[in-house]
Amino acid sequence: VERVAKPKRVTGSDGRDWTEEARELDFRHPAPFERLAGQYLGLAEPHWLELEFDPADLEGAEKLRLVATGWFYWSDASVNVASARTPGIEFVPPMIQVPGPDGTWVPTGPPIGFPAGKTKTMVVDVTRIVPRADPRIRLGSTLELYWDRIELATCIDDAAVVTTSLEPRATKLCSRGFS
């Protein structure tokens, strides 16, 4: 990592300024959502965080990586089945949107995944999707996600990928019983 750009401003879908909660790894989490009641533990109303970065902080960066640290209130199979059968209730992992030419928010692709379980850090290559002149990102979901710190890392290049294969010497299959 060459340098890290912290967001200038973080605004939630609830209209609240969450900048202080999203800039540092301090266990203070933006929560711009309403949790769903009843059987839908881990799910929330659709929500987003809009992150605004200073274009000067990204000047000359060959690559950009979204570095997001947080945790997810894990739902279980019953919640997932119930949400799949209930119109208007969806399990939507985080998705990135960026400003389009007409000012609307444009989806950039499939969901980026989520920090499964307790606090974890995700790194997502956003080099080709974040406009350098208007470096804003909207991170939206219906999951009960608690982001602690979100920033952009600027990189010069990547380390070489080394793949190592290990061949098993033996295997033993056992009855596992009911999962």
Side-chain angles (χ1 to χ4, degrees):
V1 174
E2 187 178 80
R3 63 187 184 269
V4 173
K6 295 194 177 289
K8 284 189 337 183
R9 183 176 18 254
V10 178
T11 308
S13 51
D14 60 353
R16 183 171 165 192
D17 184 325
W18 293 98
T19 306
E20 291 306 311
E21 289 82 355
R23 286 177 57 93
E24 302 298 332
L25 194 58
D26 57 8
F27 304 106
R28 295 185 307 139
H29 307 88
F33 51 81
E34 290 290 325
R35 299 169 80 178
L36 293 180
Q39 64 186 340
Y40 302 108
L41 290 174
L43 297 180
E45 294 292 336
H47 60 279
W48 45 261
L49 287 174
E50 184 179 318
L51 300 114
E52 180 184 338
F53 294 91
D54 187 341
D57 290 343
L58 310 180
E59 239 175 69
E62 288 182 26
K63 299 183 184 213
L64 294 176
R65 304 288 195 269
L66 180 69
V67 181
T69 301
W71 65 277
F72 166 51
Y73 187 102
W74 197 260
S75 60
D76 62 25
S78 297
V79 171
N80 298 339
V81 169
S83 68
R85 294 176 176 223
T86 307
I89 304 291
E90 293 183 272
F91 183 101
V92 179
M95 299 186 67
I96 295 176
Q97 294 180 318
V98 295
D102 61 356
T104 61
W105 288 92
V106 179
T108 62
I112 61 169
F114 48 85
K118 294 303 174 197
T119 304
K120 298 200 175 42
T121 300
M122 301 172 38
V123 180
V124 180
D125 188 346
V126 293
T127 304
R128 291 193 164 100
I129 62 173
V130 173
R132 304 299 173 95
D134 184 6
R136 289 182 293 149
I137 297 171
R138 187 175 272 186
L139 198 53
S141 180
T142 62
L143 305 183
E144 193 175 331
L145 285 163
Y146 295 94
W147 299 111
D148 194 0
R149 177 179 60 198
I150 306 173
E151 48 198 12
L152 284 174
T154 63
C155 308
I156 295 174
D157 63 15
D158 293 327
V161 174
V162 177
T163 302
T164 304
S165 297
L166 301 175
E167 296 298 323
R169 291 188 202 180
T171 61
K172 182 178 179 182
L173 298 176
C174 301
S175 175
R176 184 171 151 228
F178 182 74
S179 295

